[in-house]
Amino acid sequence: MRRVASGGNVPGVTRLPFIRPVSVVGALAAGALALTVLPAVAVDPGTTGADTLFPTSGNSGYDVKRYDVDLDYTPASNQLAAVTTVTAVATKALSSFHLDLEGLDVSDVEVGGQTAEFSRDGSELIIAPAAAIAKGATFRTVVTYGGTPSVHTDPDGSDEGWVPTSSGDGAVALGEPVGTAAWIPSDNTPSDKAKLAVTITVPNGTQAISNGRLVSRTKVGDTRTRYAWRSDAPISTYLAMVAIGRFSITRDTYRSVDGRRIRILNAVDTANGGSSAAIDKLPAVLKAEEGWFGPYPFADAGGVVDDAAVGYALETQTRPFYPTDGPSLGTVVHETAHQWFGDSVSLTDWHDIWLNEGFATYAEWLWSGSHGGLTPAQHFTRLYATPASSGLWSPAPRTFTDAADLFGSPVYNRGALTLQALREKIGTRDFFTVLRTWARMHRHGNVRNAQFVKLAEKVSGRRLDRFFHVWLEVPRKPQGY
Ligand code: ARG
Ligand code: ZN
């Protein structure tokens, strides 16, 4: 195992005279506040993050490069035993740092191969390594934990986190906006993307699906099987997914517009007949969306249908999750569009979620318009006729303050209306140039709303700040934009 002590310092940055022991170990037992009493100025405690909607999700002081998540799950007892290795680079000298973890019992934490002290404070796992970590150093944290994982209830009342299936054959792990902390100790914010490898060991006869590609399936003793999955493209934690149960698995390939061979793997719960007509249309959906948005951003695609009645589908990276009865074609179109907008081009702050949901909703309008249904312009006319008093217009897509409004009608529908209004303002050609450039420029990156406004202004050669302000920030029906 790699030692924290060695190098990795950023060129040009003064090498700090670490490793030095940190004397917070005793203080830790008294709780997180004790960490503010630190001996050295050059070493800081990492803190929890500062997302405007979820201030305790995400952390500071480091940048995660990779998660190796090793799970062992027994559906009958809903028991998880896990070891996660977090490989990160310190963005400042650290005496301690936080990971987000909700529930479960932590039995051991090691940093750089040495036992570390840790404490829990709500969903913060606060870790004090035996030796401070130098700025720029790559360090590995191994967390051993387990127990009964939590179902996390969102501000809007929906379930996420680790959700056992209705039939009792397994569970599904879903993470938007914050549920991933129920199973991965993580920097649980969309802005810290990292590679992800998940292995899941389950009783024989049960299967385990996750993001990316299936690397191996191996026997563990006589009674268990281990599934190893890997995501090579970076992923925001909320897009990580595990589905455990009994599935009918089908594979296909799709030739992308830029000539790559995309592997398709679908897993449909056998309790749902083991197939989904809408998911079978994925190649046609990919083709249409590549035509609008440019090359599909990942090497893997697919879908998973599981009998967890959460009431929503989720754009889990490369392999969206669909609840119990399987999706409509419109939902497949929506979750697939998120692979460009949300998954590849990702948020920095949850307040910009219209950049995910407005775009995915607009993709549904594009699809219906090219398949005999309402065109985007017709959707616009219909929705714009909604009275000014309607919940569609308030709160505005970017200025809501209650996290319960994250998945509300303004974010989805007024968000999509914003795109159609933009199209009418700058013209169809420039509009699609904006969408494609956005997807290409920020592929596998993180964005903020202001960057989208700037790009639209650049492509169209017009000032659009007032237009976007009226559409996204004023809690009234937009007029005279
Ligand atoms: N992003 C998902 C979609 O648009 C919806 C997630 C809803 N989650 C929730 N907690 N309400 O398909
Ligand atoms: Zn969506």
Side-chain angles (χ1 to χ4, degrees):
M1 192 154 288
R2 195 188 175 112
R3 292 269 148 191
V4 181
S6 63
N9 279 345
V10 176
V13 172
T14 319
R15 182 178 274 271
L16 293 163
F18 297 135
I19 299 258
R20 187 192 314 132
V22 185
S23 57
V24 291
V25 170
L28 264 175
L33 279 180
L35 286 177
T36 54
V37 191
L38 277 174
V41 282
V43 194
D44 293 329
T47 58
T48 190
D51 184 274
T52 52
L53 280 174
F54 302 98
T56 63
S57 270
N59 305 292
S60 75
Y62 61 89
D63 175 14
V64 178
K65 296 298 172 192
R66 181 185 173 90
Y67 295 99
D68 288 276
V69 181
D70 203 344
L71 308 174
D72 184 295
Y73 184 65
T74 304
S77 55
N78 190 22
Q79 287 297 299
L80 188 68
V83 181
T84 286
T85 302
V86 183
T87 305
V89 174
T91 53
K92 59 184 186 176
L94 289 173
S95 57
S96 69
F97 60 94
H98 293 217
L99 291 170
D100 301 306
L101 180 65
E102 181 181 337
L104 299 169
D105 300 314
V106 176
S107 56
D108 184 62
V109 178
E110 290 182 15
V111 179
Q114 286 179 273
T115 301
E117 295 290 326
F118 64 89
S119 64
R120 309 285 302 269
D121 180 11
S123 60
E124 304 297 314
L125 169 61
I126 305 156
I127 299 170
I133 301 158
K135 178 174 177 173
T138 297
F139 64 103
R140 275 191 199 169
T141 305
V142 181
V143 183
T144 305
Y145 55 107
T148 307
S150 326
V151 177
H152 178 98
T153 306
D154 284 338
D156 71 0
S158 358
D159 284 347
E160 51 157 344
W162 193 277
V163 185
T165 57
S166 324
S167 69
D169 67 348
V172 59
L174 301 172
E176 189 180 29
V178 295
T180 299
W183 60 289
I184 309 181
S186 52
D187 188 19
N188 194 25
T189 168
S191 63
D192 192 357
K193 292 183 160 197
K195 293 186 177 183
L196 174 68
V198 178
T199 70
I200 312 115
T201 304
V202 287
N204 290 347
T206 300
Q207 294 143 305
I209 313 294
S210 187
N211 313 85
R213 68 191 152 92
L214 180 61
V215 184
S216 63
R217 190 178 60 200
T218 44
K219 292 234 135 199
V220 179
D222 287 340
T223 60
R224 296 179 91 75
T225 306
R226 176 190 292 130
Y227 292 80
W229 294 84
R230 185 179 297 263
S231 298
D232 294 322
I235 183 170
S236 292
T237 48
Y238 83 90
L239 297 166
M241 172 274 295
V242 163
I244 296 164
R246 295 196 191 93
F247 302 98
S248 163
I249 294 176
T250 55
R251 295 170 190 261
D252 198 354
T253 59
Y254 168 77
R255 180 72 67 176
S256 70
V257 64
D258 54 353
R260 290 166 302 134
R261 214 175 135 269
I262 312 294
R263 294 170 291 242
I264 295 179
L265 186 148
N266 301 315
V268 180
D269 196 316
T270 50
N272 299 87
S275 73
S276 155
I279 290 180
D280 288 346
K281 300 226 166 63
L282 182 59
V285 173
L286 288 167
K287 186 160 198 267
E289 295 191 343
E290 286 199 308
W292 301 319
F293 312 139
Y296 178 73
F298 301 106
D300 292 275
V304 55
V305 178
D306 206 352
D307 67 327
V310 293
Y312 60 84
L314 187 62
E315 63 267 28
T316 41
Q317 192 157 299
T318 68
R319 191 155 292 111
F321 161 81
Y322 302 103
T324 310
D325 294 323
S328 66
L329 185 52
T331 300
V332 172
V333 168
H334 180 107
E335 307 310 335
T336 304
H338 273 308
Q339 303 305 309
W340 283 260
F341 305 113
D343 294 19
S344 166
V345 180
S346 301
L347 303 181
T348 305
D349 188 281
W350 286 109
H351 259 122
D352 287 336
I353 191 161
W354 89 278
L355 294 171
N356 293 4
E357 302 303 348
F359 287 52
T361 303
Y362 195 76
E364 292 181 66
W365 295 2
L366 287 168
W367 179 274
S368 69
S370 56
H371 290 79
L374 295 186
T375 63
Q378 287 168 329
H379 275 283
F380 184 97
T381 306
R382 212 186 235 203
L383 274 173
Y384 192 76
T386 311
S389 58
S390 157
L392 167 61
W393 306 117
S394 182
R398 288 196 70 239
T399 52
F400 60 93
T401 50
D402 186 343
D405 291 323
L406 255 182
F407 304 104
S409 175
V411 165
Y412 284 67
N413 292 317
R414 188 170 162 179
L417 287 168
T418 302
L419 289 176
Q420 179 59 21
L422 176 68
R423 178 172 173 177
E424 283 167 16
K425 193 163 183 83
I426 70 175
T428 291
R429 221 188 48 181
D430 280 358
F431 174 73
F432 282 100
T433 303
V434 170
L435 294 190
R436 275 194 289 267
T437 309
W438 183 244
R440 190 184 65 239
M441 269 174 60
H442 300 290
R443 189 169 175 266
H444 301 321
N446 291 93
V447 290
R448 287 183 184 275
N449 183 65
Q451 293 169 281
F452 186 73
V453 175
K454 232 186 192 160
L455 175 66
E457 289 186 331
K458 195 169 165 212
V459 169
S460 67
R462 305 175 69 139
R463 268 198 77 164
L464 296 167
D465 46 352
R466 199 181 141 263
F467 168 87
F468 280 110
H469 173 65
V470 166
W471 270 100
L472 299 173
E473 286 150 12
V474 180
R476 280 190 300 278
K477 182 171 174 173
Q479 319 263 8
Y481 45 88

